[in-house]
Amino acid sequence: DAKTTQPNSMESNEEEPVHLPCNHSTISGTDYIHWYRQLPSQGPEYVIHGLTSNVNNRMASLAIAEDRKSSTLILHRATLRDAAVYYCILRDQYSGGGADGLTFGKGTHLIIQP
Amino acid sequence: DSGVTQTPKHLITATGQRVTLRCSPRSGDLSVYWYQQSLDQGLQFLIQYYNGEERAKGNILERFSAQQFPDLHSELNLSSLELGDSALYFCASSVVGFGGYTFGSGTRLTVV
């Protein structure tokens, strides 16, 4: 499985933008880049995903490098409720036989200061 | 409410016992995945079912088994429980290959 590398932790101030980086230098052409987050005592929550182009939704934006070897999750205006562990994961669109269990790394622990 | 329902929310049992965790996937999702999360191991993929058939196995112990029923709900059976099996167990559902996973709120298993 292609792997991702994320910083262990990041700290930001409330109401400021947050840029969470992810490196995935061994990404394949059919791998989608997925981001999930896990708030304390909750299950992981889907945030956003993309293949090649930058993506926006109501939660965040995903900026993907032209060579696709890295990506950045952007929270435009962090709130205290955004404090969570953020996971960057690769998901093969064409997994053999439909087998596509996600492999979670340790993620980035995002701390938001009031 | 994510649309994925897991029961029970909490379970306390003794070593050597057997328990069953239940998951109802989001409407329309044919794939169900089970994950284990302990403090020292993080989120570990256990097993995936698709429309009743096993599709992928991860780090699932032989003491653990799962199945998916015709109505698409799934059960994870944990037997001969050990203290180290204490963890959060999450179920997720998805359309294979597309979009994101939807996770349930988990079952917290405590083995004493």
Side-chain angles (χ1 to χ4, degrees):
Chain A
D1 289 340
K3 294 184 178 178
T4 63
T5 304
Q6 300 177 253
N8 289 333
S9 65
M10 290 183 64
E11 198 166 312
S12 182
N13 295 319
E14 198 176 9
E15 299 187 5
E16 290 186 357
V18 179
H19 291 235
L20 296 163
C22 180
N23 288 318
H24 28 78
S25 58
T26 59
I27 190 171
S28 74
T30 55
D31 282 334
Y32 274 81
I33 302 158
H34 282 241
W35 283 82
Y36 288 77
R37 72 179 185 181
Q38 188 174 20
L39 280 64
S41 302
Q42 295 188 27
E45 175 187 28
Y46 165 80
V47 176
I48 199 167
H49 77 282
L51 184 63
T52 56
S53 303
N54 294 345
V55 185
N56 300 297
N57 66 20
R58 65 174 180 81
M59 290 181 71
S61 295
L62 176 60
I64 302 172
E66 197 169 332
D67 63 5
R68 300 211 324 127
K69 294 185 177 181
S70 65
S71 61
T72 302
L73 179 71
I74 303 166
L75 307 179
H76 294 287
R77 198 163 168 265
T79 69
L80 295 177
R81 294 174 60 184
D82 291 321
V85 179
Y86 285 79
Y87 299 96
C88 169
I89 302 165
L90 302 182
R91 184 181 185 190
D92 189 347
Q93 181 182 8
Y94 300 111
S95 297
D100 65 345
L102 295 178
T103 300
F104 285 79
K106 295 194 180 301
T108 296
H109 184 197
L110 177 63
I111 299 165
I112 304 296
Q113 297 289 355
Chain B
D1 181 11
S2 68
V4 175
T5 304
Q6 288 188 249
T7 57
K9 291 192 183 308
H10 302 276
L11 199 50
I12 301 175
T13 189
T15 54
Q17 295 298 304
R18 172 190 169 94
V19 297
T20 297
L21 312 183
R22 182 188 169 100
C23 169
S24 294
R26 195 180 57 164
S27 178
D29 287 351
L30 299 180
S31 257
V32 170
Y33 312 78
W34 286 96
Y35 286 81
Q36 180 193 56
Q37 186 172 36
S38 57
L39 282 174
D40 56 345
Q41 292 291 327
L43 270 161
Q44 299 284 316
F45 168 64
L46 295 179
I47 197 164
Q48 174 197 359
Y49 276 82
Y50 175 78
N51 203 21
E53 294 187 2
E54 181 185 305
R55 278 299 170 92
K57 268 188 174 180
N59 301 319
I60 188 166
L61 300 172
E62 286 191 9
R63 299 184 285 109
F64 296 179
S65 65
Q67 53 184 331
Q68 186 179 26
F69 295 87
D71 67 352
L72 300 179
H73 91 270
S74 178
E75 292 181 356
L76 179 67
N77 300 297
L78 315 176
S79 61
S80 303
L81 285 168
E82 303 174 359
L83 295 178
D85 297 327
S86 296
L88 272 166
Y89 290 84
F90 289 106
C91 168
S93 71
S94 169
V95 176
V96 171
F98 299 94
Y101 283 27
T102 302
F103 281 81
S105 56
T107 293
R108 182 175 294 279
L109 174 66
T110 303
V111 182
V112 297

